[in-house]
Amino acid sequence: MSTSIERVNCLIIGSGPAGYTAAIYASRANLKPVLYQGLEPGGQLMITTDVENYPGYPEGVQGPQMMEDFRKQAERMGTDIRYGLVTSVDFSGPVHKAVIDEELTIEAHSVIISTGASAKWLGLESEQRLNGHGVSACAVCDGFFYKEQEVAIVGAGDTAAEEATYLSKLCSTVHMFVRRDQMRASKVMQERVMNASNIKIYWNTETVEVLGDKVVEGVKVINNKTNEESTIPVTGFFVAIGHKPNTDIFKDYLDTDDVGYIITGPDSTKTKVPGVFASGDAQDKIYRQAVTAAGTGCMAALDAERYLTEKGIV
Ligand code: NDP
């Protein structure tokens, strides 16, 4: 299939905090970046309500409003922001190629990947319906709203253990549902969970339904050994069963870990392909915060600028 071709200095893929921050820096460095927003413009923050931990918003801000602010700032600096999805890339040559919606090929001297990650969900109708109304995939973002209340968390990996421990410092009781008779989390993280007096672990337990009409009021679970069902009143329901980075289209060219997070060099956003940089949740499986994503977006733009300068392109 033939597509039209456009050549740019800096292509930014993705429109969460990492992508927009990269855009602000790249624009101000006169790299004339072109940013493609992807399938979910604004990224994961578009499904968040109050954000109270992003510095600079003393009264807090709604996730979608914050992303609108990021977008406007990038636009004001001159970023060419476009709707569109990068459907494939070719990083085999000296100039990198990205196909947009099967229609346009962008040839880019540098590429900043900020495609983010998506939280995994259980796939229950009630979970989807109450998402943002008591159902959350981020304890650090939303735990504060359930201070002194009873909450539930699903999962048994390091994320679930870390988030359960975090919640135990805020909430009166944390009901933790583990689908097997053991946890996947590292020993030290498991010990923290076991040592928290207000975390109640339910082994061999799966979620049947999140209860509530407009907001979460409880959860129905089943013990998969005894088939016994029970209902637990909670106001918050946290899902911590892992994330999937949105990096499938890059995996033929870049090193990733076994889950798909792009591997970058130490203290930099450089991937193994010169001129291709990775930032935000596509590359960070540990912190995954808006502010850390914005930080690595900034780093990626600075790395791209240095690369383009060294090549004599800008
Ligand atoms: P993991 O894939 O490690 O764990 C996912 C957990 O969710 C597993 O316990 C799994 O159960 C459970 N799970 C999956 N699907 C379901 C389901 N449908 N119903 C119920 N439970 C389910 O993901 P994490 O996000 O915890 O960790 C990802 C990576 O990040 C890991 O390498 C981890 O070590 C790392 N990490 C490190 C941290 C740190 O060092 N501070 C903090 C957070 C993450 P099962 O075990 O039965 O498969």
Side-chain angles (χ1 to χ4, degrees):
M1 189 184 8
S2 71
T3 58
S4 50
I5 295 174
E6 180 183 347
R7 185 165 281 209
V8 304
N9 284 338
C10 179
L11 169 68
I12 300 172
I13 310 174
S15 56
Y20 282 138
T21 305
I24 292 164
Y25 274 78
S27 295
R28 296 187 79 249
N30 209 21
L31 305 186
K32 299 186 174 59
V34 170
L35 179 150
Y36 278 91
Q37 290 183 310
L39 259 190
E40 289 162 13
Q44 289 185 80
L45 278 154
M46 300 303 282
I47 54 161
T48 308
T49 49
D50 300 86
V51 178
E52 292 187 332
N53 54 7
Y54 198 93
Y57 290 102
E59 307 302 327
V61 62
Q62 296 286 304
Q65 180 61 49
M66 186 165 105
M67 294 327 296
E68 175 69 6
D69 292 346
F70 270 64
R71 187 189 60 74
K72 280 190 188 149
Q73 191 171 351
E75 212 161 51
R76 189 167 79 81
M77 295 303 145
T79 309
D80 183 348
I81 298 172
R82 303 178 184 176
Y83 285 113
L85 181 67
V86 175
T87 45
S88 63
V89 296
D90 178 352
F91 293 159
S92 60
V95 177
H96 307 304
K97 294 180 186 158
V99 177
I100 317 297
D101 294 322
E102 313 290 344
E103 282 170 2
L104 169 69
T105 296
I106 297 276
E107 293 186 343
H109 292 294
S110 68
V111 177
I112 295 174
I113 296 170
S114 38
T115 45
S118 308
K120 288 191 197 160
W121 298 99
L122 298 170
L124 302 170
E125 182 277 326
S126 52
E127 168 193 58
Q128 206 183 352
R129 181 168 48 80
L130 292 166
N131 195 341
H133 303 279
V135 172
S136 165
C138 180
V140 178
C141 318
D142 298 327
F144 182 76
F145 305 116
Y146 304 95
K147 240 179 168 174
E148 313 298 344
Q149 299 174 37
E150 291 200 28
V151 298
I153 185 163
V154 181
D158 278 334
T159 300
E162 193 168 75
E163 300 213 331
T165 309
Y166 180 85
L167 289 169
S168 73
K169 293 175 189 154
L170 296 169
C171 305
S172 56
T173 306
V174 180
H175 302 272
M176 183 171 192
F177 307 133
V178 177
R179 67 177 172 183
R180 290 185 292 140
D181 60 359
Q182 55 178 278
M183 285 193 203
R184 183 183 294 273
S186 54
K187 218 172 163 62
V188 56
M189 305 288 267
Q190 288 194 39
E191 271 165 19
R192 272 181 216 158
V193 170
M194 307 291 178
N195 289 338
S197 58
N198 59 342
I199 300 179
K200 190 170 171 199
I201 301 172
Y202 299 67
W203 302 104
N204 301 306
T205 298
E206 293 177 40
T207 308
V208 179
E209 191 185 351
V210 188
L211 304 171
D213 184 16
K214 296 232 166 355
V215 294
V216 170
E217 291 167 4
V219 55
K220 190 196 274 186
V221 293
I222 187 166
N223 181 305
N224 58 26
K225 288 271 181 281
T226 61
N227 281 336
E228 196 182 322
E229 283 194 347
S230 44
T231 297
I232 299 152
V234 293
T235 49
F237 181 80
F238 291 87
V239 180
I241 61 171
H243 284 78
K244 188 177 178 332
N246 304 316
T247 56
D248 286 354
I249 57 169
F250 309 113
K251 64 175 185 261
D252 288 345
Y253 300 96
L254 304 181
D255 286 338
T256 61
D257 71 5
D258 53 356
V259 180
Y261 288 96
I262 296 171
I263 294 169
T264 52
D267 300 328
S268 97
T269 61
K270 289 179 192 166
T271 68
K272 76 169 188 189
V273 177
V276 177
F277 306 91
S279 60
D281 284 13
Q283 165 259 357
D284 165 27
K285 71 175 174 193
I286 305 284
Y287 303 103
R288 297 197 306 250
Q289 300 301 300
V291 68
T292 51
T296 55
C298 158
M299 288 164 64
L302 296 176
D303 288 342
E305 182 198 2
R306 203 160 296 146
Y307 170 83
L308 293 170
T309 304
E310 278 166 12
K311 288 265 165 197
I313 293 165
V314 295

